[in-house]
Amino acid sequence: MYLFFFIILVVTGVLSAVDIFVGLKDVNEGVKLLVNLSNLLFFLSLLFFVFKSGTKREHKN
């Protein structure tokens, strides 16, 4: 599960960086929707890592 969200985080992060440098949102409506969806997935996967890193499992003896 961590690997899946990590891959999503990396791919959407790269797409967001390309959008910042190139300006993909100006191409057409389909690409604008893709970039907005990519930004949403980036922040959702980032939230997953923030919440999962804060929880620690304790083992009962």
Side-chain angles (χ1 to χ4, degrees):
M1 187 172 225
Y2 283 106
L3 182 62
F4 174 72
F5 282 106
F6 181 72
I7 291 170
I8 296 255
L9 185 71
V10 169
V11 169
T12 57
V14 167
L15 187 60
S16 295
V18 168
D19 175 47
I20 289 170
F21 291 121
V22 178
L24 289 176
K25 287 185 180 179
D26 299 332
V27 175
N28 64 15
E29 290 296 319
V31 176
K32 184 177 179 180
L33 179 66
L34 177 71
V35 169
N36 287 338
L37 183 64
S38 171
N39 288 337
L40 178 70
L41 286 174
F42 178 78
F43 287 114
L44 287 176
S45 60
L46 193 61
L47 280 174
F48 172 79
F49 279 111
V50 167
F51 284 122
K52 284 296 185 177
S53 68
T55 60
K56 296 192 179 193
R57 296 182 184 174
E58 294 182 17
H59 295 281
K60 292 183 179 180
N61 291 331

